[in-house]
């Protein structure tokens, strides 16, 4: 070997090796920082897939506030709401006191595409303003595009308060074509 040949110990090779090492180190550090930044976002997106939907009983009024007869609209908080959800945490239901001890409640959301349905006392039907969906007072479909009856909600009387079991809003079964 002649002394003109560059070896690993010559200054030019050492500089080259240092540059390669620093380039790899900077790529590795960038990757680590990228993962640290992305993790909360990935967790936020994937968490609902793994989280079990919460069911909670929500007070909707005193027992004596409900007269036996037609449906009244009540509002309550979504069981899965987060502190920053604001107005989007509100859910609605149509509730009817069928007898002294029996209540019937339906989710306000139409089973077609989720618009809020409206109770009309005469002719005792739920009407959907979006595409003309109509439901009978037992929640079954009378006319229009809804593929399913209105979602029935559990109701209980607890210490003189009427409570609705709040759960996730049902997904529509309508196939979008
Ligand atoms: S959303 Fe109610 S009929 Fe379409």
């Amino acid at each position: 070997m002649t002394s003109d040949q560059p070896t690993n110990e010559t200054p030019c090779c050492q500089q080259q090796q240092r540059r390669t090492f620093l380039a790899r180190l900077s790529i590795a550090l960038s990757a680590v920082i990228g993962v640290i930044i992305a993790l909360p976002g990935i967790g936020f997106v994937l968490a609902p897939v793994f989280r079990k939907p919460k069911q909670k009983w929500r007070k909707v009024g005193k027992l004596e506030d409900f007269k036996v007869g037609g449906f009244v609209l009540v509002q309550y908080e979504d069981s899965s709401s987060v502190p920053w959800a604001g107005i989007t945490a509100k859910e609605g239901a149509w509730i009817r006191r069928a007898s002294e001890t029996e209540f019937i409640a339906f989710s306000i959301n139409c089973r077609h595409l989720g618009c809020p349905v409206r109770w009309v006392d005469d002719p005792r039907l739920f009407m959907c303003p979006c595409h003309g969906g109509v439901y009978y007072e037992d929640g079954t479909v009378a006319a229009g595009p809804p593929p399913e009856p209105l979602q029935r909600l559990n109701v209980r009387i607890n210490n003189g308060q009427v409570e609705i079991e709040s759960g996730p809003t049902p997904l529509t079964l309508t196939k979008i074509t």
Side-chain angles (χ1 to χ4, degrees):
M1 187 192 296
T2 66
S3 60
D4 293 344
Q5 297 271 313
T7 65
N8 281 353
E9 283 72 40
T10 58
C12 98
C13 283
Q14 283 176 347
Q15 204 174 19
Q16 184 65 35
Q17 283 174 339
R18 197 167 36 244
R19 273 203 200 120
T20 307
F21 170 75
L22 288 175
R24 286 183 183 155
L25 183 67
S26 107
I27 289 170
L29 284 177
S30 301
V32 169
I33 290 168
V35 168
I36 290 170
I37 290 171
L39 265 181
I42 292 169
F44 178 77
V45 170
L46 293 182
V49 177
F50 299 106
R51 195 183 307 133
K52 208 168 162 237
K54 287 189 265 176
Q55 304 281 131
K56 271 188 191 164
W57 289 98
R58 300 290 196 197
K59 291 184 180 118
V60 291
K62 291 186 194 141
L63 185 56
E64 60 265 26
D65 293 343
F66 295 90
K67 307 274 173 278
V68 176
F71 282 90
V72 290
L73 183 62
V74 291
Q75 258 193 7
Y76 55 95
E77 198 180 313
D78 176 1
S79 59
S80 59
S81 72
V82 287
W84 55 88
I87 192 75
T88 61
K90 296 282 177 214
E91 294 231 7
W94 287 104
I95 186 167
R96 179 166 84 90
R97 187 170 186 174
S99 70
E100 286 306 311
T101 55
E102 193 197 353
F103 280 85
I104 296 167
F106 296 107
S107 165
I108 197 173
N109 299 100
C110 177
R111 296 307 295 271
H112 180 219
L113 293 178
C115 291
V117 297
R118 190 169 52 94
W119 169 250
V120 183
D121 254 329
D122 185 13
R124 300 192 70 80
L125 293 170
F126 291 103
M127 306 284 198
C128 178
C130 291
H131 314 101
V134 183
Y135 300 86
Y136 293 115
E137 66 179 306
D138 64 357
T140 54
V141 179
E148 287 270 302
L150 288 173
Q151 188 199 17
R152 183 102 182 238
L153 301 170
N154 293 327
V155 185
R156 74 178 183 188
I157 300 163
N158 186 24
N159 291 330
Q161 294 281 339
V162 180
E163 296 181 346
I164 282 185
E165 191 175 20
S166 158
T169 302
L171 293 174
T172 176
L173 299 173
T174 304
K175 288 193 180 114
I176 311 287
T177 50

